[in-house]
Amino acid sequence: MPQLNENYLNIKQSYLFSEVARKTAAYQEANPDKPVIRLGIGDVTKPLASKVIDALHEGVDMLAHAETFKGYGPEQGYADTRASIADYYKRNGVDVDPDAIFISDGAKSDTGNITDIFGHDNTILIPDPVYPVYVDTNIMCGNYNIVYIDGNAENGFLPMPNFEQHADIIYLCSPNNPTGAAYNKEQLEIWVDYALKNDAVILFDSAYEAFISDPELPRSIYAIEGAKKCAIEFCSLSKTAGFTGTRCGYTVVPKELVFTASNGTEMSLNAMWNRRQSTKFNGTSYIVQHGAKVVFTEEGIAACSENIEYYKKNAKYIADTMTKLGINFYGGINSPYIWFECPNGMEAWECFDYLLENIQVVGTPGAGFGENGKNYFRLTAFGTYENTVEAMARFEKLFS
């Protein structure tokens, strides 16, 4: 009989979004005559931009001819795709070495797999509420020294470090999933200062950076001086370009991230991640990367921005409805998520059932993101505009 990874006994039996899907499917089966509006999972509904579609078709056609055929590609990503991402950073005022960029099949994979390059005795600082992948993947590999920092109404769901508390690894997400809150430059400067003083690494999830409208808010941790010495950044085309089904993301591991091993040897996190990817990953498909390369051109970003503006319009509509109803909420401005306080003192899963049964609107219970989410609920702006308007009309009838 094999020995099993019994750390799996210490995580919830069902992933949060799988449980939402299960409960929704059961309701629909029992009530086929009641149309359900889904504003729960952060999946997009607009098609890919035409320029991206053209590039994907071109990539397919290239594989049909011996002269342009591509087989195994570099595990780190094709050089031209990495260069296009570096150019995108530069247009946003940040210099990133293309050799620090690693193309993958999405930020979810990389934020989970990054645990491979760290030991198991680190003190890991994780905000609560938080994207479940950060916590679950650490528990899966036996990392139990997790310290939670509270995000709550008092700090606007933007917790700040306690300089008397030590940490080795720090998870941050801005704009935040699930709360929609975004750190400003001064706040991120404090986090970078904290990481440098602790000789720690910030794992910075910037998957929603394309939704930032305020030019004063950083779209990358590398907009902060010193961050290349203490931060790894994850990003995703899922929200930037609608690649939720196409699957493409990237992780930036600066070469400045060098630490000393227990035997005195210096170890580069860039080299370690490169070794990890070369061993466990055969690279993102050429077709997808050919499409991704176009995303980061000025023309591609302009085309993809049309979809982002569509979702921002949805977010504003939801936010305006919450304001009209007097429901406290966060996000909805620089983020596609609206994080609202459950009405009438309800807890999150109670609110989920209440909304599903009374107005057939599906969201995500905040309790699935941590203890501080037990009285909050997340709605996404990624639905169609028509469904968003209808869902908010149902909210008004229910809570007016």
Side-chain angles (χ1 to χ4, degrees):
M1 176 178 174
Q3 291 186 3
L4 305 180
N5 183 352
E6 296 184 4
N7 293 308
Y8 277 69
L9 296 173
N10 298 309
I11 59 174
K12 294 179 180 178
Q13 290 296 308
S14 177
Y15 182 54
L16 170 60
F17 298 106
S18 299
E19 181 63 12
V20 168
R22 185 194 66 77
K23 289 173 74 74
T24 303
Y27 178 85
Q28 288 185 298
E29 184 177 355
N31 301 275
D33 59 323
K34 295 182 178 180
V36 171
I37 298 176
R38 297 171 182 265
L39 299 180
I41 191 169
D43 196 3
V44 297
T45 50
K46 296 287 285 181
L48 300 178
S50 59
K51 288 184 178 294
V52 176
I53 291 293
D54 290 343
L56 292 172
H57 281 300
E58 184 179 49
V60 171
D61 291 340
M62 291 176 73
L63 299 189
H65 304 282
E67 305 81 43
T68 53
F69 176 78
K70 302 287 185 181
Y72 287 124
E75 295 90 350
Q76 305 81 6
Y78 286 95
D80 53 357
T81 307
R82 300 167 88 187
S84 70
I85 295 172
D87 288 342
Y88 173 70
Y89 271 99
K90 183 169 287 189
R91 292 199 302 275
N92 284 308
V94 176
D95 286 322
V96 170
D97 182 353
D99 288 341
I101 299 169
F102 296 81
I103 313 297
S104 71
D105 62 353
K108 181 177 182 179
S109 298
D110 284 358
T111 54
N113 292 331
I114 199 70
T115 57
D116 282 4
I117 67 172
F118 295 107
H120 297 295
D121 296 322
N122 291 303
T123 298
I124 303 166
L125 202 60
I126 300 182
D128 178 330
V130 71
Y131 183 43
V133 171
Y134 307 161
V135 176
D136 289 354
T137 53
N138 274 285
I139 293 175
M140 283 175 177
C141 65
N143 297 340
Y144 289 101
N145 192 13
I146 298 173
V147 176
Y148 294 98
I149 50 173
D150 291 331
N152 50 43
E154 285 70 31
N155 57 33
F157 288 96
L158 291 170
M160 297 301 294
N162 175 0
F163 278 77
E164 296 180 2
Q165 179 183 52
H166 173 75
D168 301 298
I169 298 172
I170 304 154
Y171 283 83
L172 295 179
C173 179
S174 181
N176 186 267
N177 180 12
T179 70
Y183 283 108
N184 62 36
K185 186 174 182 180
E186 291 73 22
Q187 289 169 322
L188 287 183
E189 285 174 343
I190 293 171
W191 272 112
V192 167
D193 185 37
Y194 173 79
L196 291 172
K197 287 185 177 179
N198 278 269
D199 207 20
V201 176
I202 296 172
L203 303 180
F204 191 78
D205 187 345
S206 64
Y208 301 93
E209 57 85 19
F211 282 84
I212 292 179
S213 302
D214 185 345
E216 298 301 314
L217 294 179
R219 297 175 66 159
S220 167
I221 189 69
Y222 303 123
I224 309 303
E225 185 177 355
K228 289 181 182 177
K229 295 181 180 180
C230 66
I232 293 172
E233 182 161 284
F234 307 89
C235 204
S236 168
L237 277 76
S238 289
K239 308 310 187 288
T240 303
F243 273 45
T244 51
T246 312
R247 306 307 307 146
C248 190
Y250 56 92
T251 293
V252 182
V253 188
K255 293 182 179 179
E256 291 89 338
L257 287 171
V258 177
F259 296 89
T260 304
S262 59
N263 65 358
T265 302
E266 286 196 336
M267 299 184 72
S268 160
L269 297 194
N270 179 282
M272 292 174 69
W273 185 244
N274 183 62
R275 184 68 172 86
R276 189 269 173 205
Q277 294 297 83
S278 298
T279 302
K280 294 188 174 184
F281 185 56
N282 266 340
T284 305
S285 80
Y286 174 75
I287 297 168
V288 168
Q289 289 194 59
H290 198 66
K293 179 176 64 175
V294 171
V295 167
F296 292 105
T297 63
E298 291 189 33
E299 298 81 5
I301 286 296
C304 292
S305 292
E306 293 181 14
N307 286 356
I308 292 173
E309 290 303 317
Y310 178 92
Y311 299 130
K312 285 183 178 180
K313 182 180 177 182
N314 288 350
K316 185 178 185 303
Y317 199 95
I318 298 172
D320 287 347
T321 302
M322 295 296 159
T323 299
K324 182 178 180 181
L325 294 174
I327 298 174
N328 295 326
F329 71 94
Y330 301 83
I333 300 174
N334 297 293
S335 166
Y337 295 124
I338 290 81
W339 178 256
F340 69 86
E341 189 173 0
C342 298
N344 305 323
M346 285 185 285
E347 292 198 352
W349 280 106
E350 180 187 3
C351 187
F352 177 90
D353 293 334
Y354 184 73
L355 295 176
L356 182 59
E357 291 169 6
N358 287 278
I359 59 173
Q360 294 76 54
V361 173
V362 173
T364 308
F369 299 102
E371 179 66 21
N372 288 320
K374 67 180 181 180
N375 293 112
Y376 286 85
F377 205 82
R378 192 193 77 174
L379 293 178
T380 170
F382 289 118
T384 66
Y385 181 71
E386 294 75 17
N387 278 350
T388 301
V389 170
E390 171 60 23
M392 291 303 98
R394 296 181 188 183
F395 259 77
E396 287 198 43
K397 288 181 181 178
L398 188 62
F399 294 114
S400 292

